[in-house]
Structures are given as C-alpha cells and as structure tokens.
Amino acid sequence: ILGFFVTTPEVTFDVWQGFFSGLCTKVFTVLALFALLIHAWIGIWQVLSDYVKPAFLRGSLQFLFAVLLLAYLVAGFLTVWGV
C-alpha cells in the first residue's frame, strides 16, 4: 500500500477502486485481515485465560469474542470482494 501511495500522484475514488479491484490486492488484503484477527484472538484468549477465573464466564466471553471476530472476517471479506 505504501508503494501505491508513493507512486500515485493523486488518489481519487476511481484510482482507489481500481487498485482494490486487482486480484492480488484482494487476496493479500483478506490474508492481512485474517492474520490480524488471528492475532486478536490469541491476545483475547491470553488475557481471558490469565484474568477471568470462572470457567463459565471465560468460556462465554471467548465464545462472544469468537463470534465477533468471525463477523469482522465476514464483513471484511464482503467489503473487499464487493469492490
């Protein structure tokens, strides 16, 4: 993305949409989103494991965060592939 901004003199909506319409950009954006959400899941799991001792509450919060992160993945996927 940095290379895109460096080499593009003026970023308009059409230029930005053209950049994200490429297959490589879509694939790498979804992979970056997936990596970010995996990183978030590991962090949430670690914090909940360390600080939330009641098993039912910890399991419920982990389930809630898992559903939330899955919703973020679906929304990101639909956003990127909808261009």
Side-chain angles (χ1 to χ4, degrees), residues 6-83:
V6 168
T7 59
T8 305
E10 183 180 357
V11 180
T12 62
F13 177 76
D14 293 330
V15 172
W16 188 249
Q17 188 176 20
F19 176 67
F20 271 95
S21 66
L23 181 63
C24 286
T25 305
K26 289 180 180 185
V27 168
F28 285 117
T29 302
V30 169
L31 286 174
L33 175 65
F34 187 71
L36 176 72
L37 294 177
I38 292 294
H39 178 73
W41 170 250
I42 292 171
I44 289 168
W45 171 76
Q46 190 69 37
V47 169
L48 292 176
S49 295
D50 287 347
Y51 295 110
V52 179
K53 296 303 177 193
F56 180 76
L57 179 60
R58 184 175 59 240
S60 298
L61 288 171
Q62 285 177 345
F63 177 76
L64 176 73
F65 281 113
V67 169
L68 184 66
L69 292 175
L70 183 62
Y72 286 153
L73 180 64
V74 169
F77 189 81
L78 291 175
T79 300
V80 170
W81 286 94
V83 172

